[in-house]
Amino acid sequence: MHVRESKVRKGDKTYRYVQLVESFRRKDGVPATRVLASFGDLSESQTQTVRTFAKAFSAELRLRLDDEEPSAPARLHVLDNLAYLHLAVLREVWQAAGLDGLLQRVLQDPGRHIPCADVVTALVLHRCVAADSKLAAERWVPTTALPELFGWAPEKFNNSRVHRVMDLLEQHDQDLQDALPGIVRSRYGPATALLIDGTDTWFEGRGPDIASTGRVKDGTFRRKILIIVGCDHRGFPLRWRVYEGRTSEVHALRDVALDIARSAWLGDAPLIADRALGNYASLEILANTGRNYLVPVPDHEVAGWVPKLAGLPLDLAERAEVERAVERLGFTRVDARTFVADGAPYAAADGPPPGPPVAPTPIAAALAQARQMAGGGSHAAIAAQYRVSKSHVGKLLALLQLPDDVKQRIDAGEGASLAVSGLIDLLRQHTDEAGRRMAFDALLTTGGRKGKRLGKQVVPETGAGPVATPRAAVGRPILYFNLDIFVEQRQRANEKLREVQAAVAALCPGTDGPERVDRILREHGMVSVFKVVVTDGVVGVTLNEAAWARRRRFDGFSVLVASPGLTSPPAELVALYRQRCEVERDFRTIKSVVQLRPVHHRTDAKVRAHVTICVLATLLHRLLEHHLATAGVDLSASAALAQLGLCHLNRIRRERGAEVTHLVTQVQEDIRNLLVRLELERLVDEDQVVNTISPR
């Protein structure tokens, strides 16, 4: 046994470690060393003391201290070197937020040997610092100081207990989500905005029933599920929901938005969502909730909101020219790359968007089709008129048997994720209106069952179905222009033009005909921009300048729709919308630090519990960042945890049969300063640590 000093350079700082090391031979006979204890950065006198202990242990010499007479041989037994300080700090933040008490109240199960709330907390901490499977968590907990901090035996934290608690957590998930916003509000203040967005995760193997094969965000095809998360302006996740993999993200976002809009805890804070929720049908539904919202419009609907916006010419090249052109359009500069304007001068006369009204959900679309078909004669006559099967007509007309109030709820957007076949089964199983209402509510609660799409969809004629809400009642348009995005979009567009022209020029005359040119145009999405021409047997293309100008008309421009209740100036509303980056940061954390992907569970309940644990870990990560920022510490949560993780709790016995002593690794000055700023320096005070922990 000997003492080893190591120096590690990280950035512009050098860290010194004193370690107690033992030499041994591996099974193959090769000599090696292993670390028995890490003491951190010790002073020279402290290092010499450790050397003396190591020498006495190795040579079995009598230890002399302060010129005393020789006593019995003393040995130093290092029993454990436990991960400590980063977990202790996270636990303090968790308790300061009131999350420990929240779990105790929600789960309402003290546990036989370990409180269920402690098991969930341990799993959340595991996700924050060493994210891995639940089986890995079982092996990880005994290597940490969590048993000492919580006061239970490490062997009681086993895989069976973990999965029982996960089942319990899934059962009380809604109770947890209902209570969480109030806890956060009472300690950190109200939310000024609620931002929602979606992501997905995939499975190793087949996964549970809720998983289905589809394209995930990285472009690959996997067994996946959809997850919608809502967080406040600080990035604290307050709402989350898991959907079957094949669920439309638009319908899922709309479902969560309506759920949040009905919640009293939101107060006057506006909903901010992705442009997937900015289509006119979704905005109509949001308008009917009476809540404030701020949502970007999809690209294909921009012209409907600001038809009088001319856009920028194709020949603009210099940034200064672009800036002057945007200012001439009436925009106001906000910063070096952003310009804003009220969209009212560029909007058309009030009214719904042109074209036939769009049914807000598939269920509402089917109901609108049923209303249109009603009174059209026999099923055979209707089927002939709409070119569908008689059975299809029968299923649609059966929807008219739903109670009137249920049909009104469907028109308002409820049941966006339900399958039509589920409603047909409901009508067959219940003949009275009361039973059908209860069954419909049950379907909304469970999300319905899997069902096939109901054959061919018939688009209602103008005037059929729900009446579109006037545009002024939906909201006012806010225009903003991003110079960097404009430059990037124009550059990519010009590159695509050159690619098409080069591909056409490379064709072999006489061999490749118009069909080959058409295929090239379709691959690049440029069929409407180029015209195929044949001159003396040579196939070529000519650019339709007018069509190309129309396509590039809104490069760099975006339209936000603000609810009528949001009367702030355009610049403030754009700044409010930019807070949406907080939910994107949450997704980066949940994918990288917390490692949501991939999922190894095989039941729907375990998957939902796993997502809840990952979201709670993301919340704890953001809470730590909030505490660091409040304390004036210029460190990210990940960087702070990396520093704090260097300090361990050592279990040492000086001789066999003696009492176990707990010693905290000597902390470096920067770590101590960090603890002082967080007002947590007691976590490395050995007297307080010994009085606080419960030895295993």
Side-chain angles (χ1 to χ4, degrees):
M1 180 185 296
H2 62 280
V3 175
R4 181 172 68 190
E5 298 183 35
S6 303
K7 293 183 178 180
V8 177
R9 184 175 182 81
K10 294 184 178 179
D12 57 349
K13 295 185 179 180
T14 301
Y15 299 93
R16 175 175 172 268
Y17 308 95
V18 176
Q19 297 174 319
L20 195 61
V21 182
E22 178 184 51
S23 300
F24 72 102
R25 286 189 178 274
R26 300 189 324 215
K27 293 182 179 180
D28 56 3
V30 176
T33 59
R34 54 188 168 207
V35 176
L36 299 178
S38 295
F39 297 99
D41 188 7
L42 302 181
S43 64
E44 289 299 328
S45 60
Q46 291 171 328
T47 303
Q48 187 58 41
T49 301
V50 176
R51 291 185 189 279
T52 303
F53 274 110
K55 184 177 179 181
F57 179 81
S58 301
E60 297 188 4
L61 300 175
R62 296 179 179 276
L63 188 65
R64 298 174 181 272
L65 296 173
D66 300 329
D67 297 327
E68 293 182 1
E69 290 297 322
S71 58
R75 293 178 179 271
L76 183 66
H77 300 274
V78 180
L79 305 179
D80 287 299
N81 185 230
L82 306 172
Y84 167 64
L85 189 54
H86 55 337
L87 298 174
V89 169
L90 284 173
R91 182 169 177 257
E92 291 288 335
V93 173
W94 182 264
Q95 292 176 332
L99 297 177
D100 55 335
L102 173 61
L103 283 176
Q104 291 170 10
R105 292 192 302 274
V106 168
L107 298 181
Q108 297 179 351
D109 189 340
R112 183 177 178 183
H113 299 287
I114 304 178
C116 294
D118 287 1
V119 176
V120 175
T121 303
L123 292 174
V124 170
L125 297 180
H126 176 240
R127 280 281 149 190
C128 286
V129 302
D132 207 335
S133 67
K134 305 303 181 293
L135 189 60
E138 178 190 3
R139 297 190 292 264
W140 170 79
V141 164
T143 68
T144 72
L146 291 181
E148 282 77 8
L149 292 171
F150 284 109
W152 32 257
E155 62 271 12
K156 298 300 182 182
F157 189 92
N158 52 57
N159 197 49
S160 298
R161 188 181 304 279
V162 166
H163 284 276
R164 285 198 301 271
V165 172
M166 288 183 68
D167 286 335
L168 183 64
L169 179 63
E170 192 273 337
Q171 295 170 17
H172 294 280
D173 180 76
Q174 190 59 51
D175 297 332
L176 175 64
Q177 294 194 46
D178 290 341
L180 181 60
I183 293 291
V184 172
R185 181 188 181 98
S186 65
R187 285 166 170 77
Y188 301 98
T192 60
L194 203 288
L195 313 106
I196 58 175
D197 206 348
T199 187
D200 51 34
T201 186
W202 63 83
F203 295 83
E204 294 291 351
R206 177 171 177 78
D209 293 339
I210 200 174
S212 59
T213 303
R215 187 191 297 272
V216 295
K217 298 285 186 179
D218 63 3
T220 59
F221 282 85
R222 300 173 183 264
R223 298 278 295 174
K224 67 166 188 172
I225 57 173
L226 175 64
I227 302 169
I228 305 296
V229 177
C231 73
D232 68 7
H233 65 287
R234 296 158 296 208
F236 298 163
L238 302 177
R239 214 33 146 223
W240 58 95
R241 188 167 294 178
V242 178
Y243 290 89
E244 195 227 352
R246 73 183 71 183
T247 304
S248 164
E249 186 170 343
V250 175
H251 293 160
L253 283 169
R254 186 186 297 163
D255 189 31
V256 173
L258 289 174
D259 176 56
I260 294 173
R262 299 188 190 101
S263 303
W265 56 264
L266 184 59
D268 296 328
L271 283 170
I272 300 177
D274 182 74
R275 65 182 67 245
L277 206 58
N279 61 80
Y280 203 85
S282 297
L283 292 174
E284 285 183 298
I285 295 173
L286 290 177
N288 291 331
T289 66
R291 290 287 187 181
N292 288 327
Y293 51 85
L294 185 62
V295 185
V297 173
D299 293 340
H300 66 275
E301 292 193 15
V302 169
W305 281 94
V306 286
K308 298 179 182 179
L309 179 64
L312 298 178
L314 292 173
D315 56 355
L316 289 180
E318 299 295 330
R319 292 176 69 96
E321 294 179 357
V322 177
E323 292 173 359
R324 289 192 293 270
V326 173
E327 290 175 342
R328 284 196 297 270
L329 289 175
F331 282 66
T332 302
R333 181 191 290 272
V334 175
D335 53 42
R337 63 176 184 174
T338 308
F339 300 77
V340 301
D342 193 322
Y346 309 92
D350 189 29
V358 180
T361 66
I363 296 294
L367 191 56
Q369 294 164 19
R371 292 190 180 107
Q372 182 180 352
M373 291 177 175
S378 65
H379 287 193
I382 297 174
Q385 178 184 355
Y386 290 95
R387 297 181 182 180
V388 295
S389 66
K390 290 190 293 183
S391 63
H392 181 84
V393 173
K395 291 177 181 178
L396 283 178
L397 293 180
L399 296 178
L400 299 178
Q401 301 174 25
L402 289 168
D404 291 340
D405 58 329
V406 172
K407 287 185 284 189
Q408 291 174 3
R409 292 166 64 186
I410 291 174
D411 289 337
E414 292 192 40
S417 60
L418 299 182
V420 175
S421 57
L423 289 182
I424 300 299
D425 290 343
L426 178 153
L427 292 168
R428 291 170 179 167
Q429 295 169 7
H430 303 276
T431 57
D432 60 302
E433 289 196 351
R436 288 173 175 176
R437 288 190 187 93
M438 294 178 61
F440 181 75
D441 292 334
L443 279 177
L444 292 180
T445 303
T446 61
R449 65 172 183 85
K450 294 182 180 178
K452 298 180 179 179
R453 293 180 62 85
L454 188 59
K456 181 179 178 180
Q457 297 293 310
V458 182
V459 179
E461 297 177 358
T462 304
V467 178
T469 307
R471 186 178 281 107
V474 171
R476 64 182 176 115
I478 303 297
L479 277 164
Y480 77 95
F481 176 82
N482 188 303
L483 182 58
D484 292 343
I485 293 178
F486 170 83
V487 172
E488 180 185 350
Q489 289 177 336
R490 286 290 169 93
Q491 287 177 348
R492 283 195 281 109
N494 291 330
E495 288 174 3
K496 184 175 287 189
L497 278 182
R498 289 191 291 269
E499 288 176 5
V500 171
Q501 292 166 342
V504 173
L507 297 177
C508 298
T511 303
D512 295 315
E515 297 81 7
R516 175 59 178 159
V517 176
D518 182 72
R519 188 179 307 127
I520 292 173
L521 295 179
R522 292 187 184 280
E523 289 174 353
H524 290 80
M526 306 286 272
V527 173
S528 62
V529 175
F530 284 97
K531 181 180 179 181
V532 181
V533 295
V534 181
T535 306
D536 298 331
V538 178
V539 182
V541 292
T542 58
L543 180 64
N544 185 333
E545 297 285 352
W548 183 240
R550 285 195 301 271
R551 179 174 290 197
R552 311 270 33 112
R553 173 184 173 189
F554 297 116
D555 282 343
F557 291 96
S558 296
V559 175
L560 300 176
V561 175
S563 60
L566 291 179
T567 58
S568 303
E572 293 183 14
L573 293 177
V574 170
L576 179 63
Y577 173 72
R578 285 182 168 180
Q579 292 181 359
R580 204 177 68 85
C581 65
E582 296 300 326
V583 73
E584 294 172 353
R585 286 184 60 200
D586 277 357
F587 284 143
R588 287 196 295 272
T589 299
I590 207 171
K591 294 172 186 175
S592 58
V593 178
V594 179
Q595 293 186 17
L596 172 69
R597 302 170 170 171
V599 183
H600 301 275
H601 296 288
R602 295 294 177 265
T603 66
D604 292 354
K606 293 294 195 309
V607 169
R608 292 190 181 94
H610 170 76
V611 171
T612 296
I613 289 170
C614 290
V615 173
L616 290 176
T618 304
L619 172 60
L620 180 56
H621 203 266
R622 299 308 297 270
L623 286 170
L624 176 59
E625 287 190 341
H626 177 80
H627 282 259
L628 291 170
T630 303
V633 179
D634 187 19
L635 279 177
S636 67
S638 297
L641 291 175
Q643 280 194 16
L644 296 169
L646 300 175
C647 183
H648 289 226
L649 182 67
N650 303 286
R651 296 180 67 243
I652 297 176
R653 179 183 289 142
R654 300 190 181 280
E655 59 183 27
R656 295 190 182 279
E659 184 179 351
V660 174
T661 302
H662 292 81
L663 298 176
V664 178
T665 303
Q666 185 74 29
V667 297
Q668 300 181 14
E669 192 64 27
D670 54 350
I671 297 178
R672 187 174 293 278
N673 291 336
L674 174 59
L675 293 174
V676 170
R677 300 288 286 274
L678 293 174
E679 300 182 359
L680 294 176
E681 62 271 24
R682 67 181 183 279
L683 297 179
V684 293
D685 183 287
E686 290 191 356
D687 291 336
Q688 294 196 45
V689 171
V690 170
N691 293 330
T692 302
I693 65 174
S694 300
R696 62 180 69 185

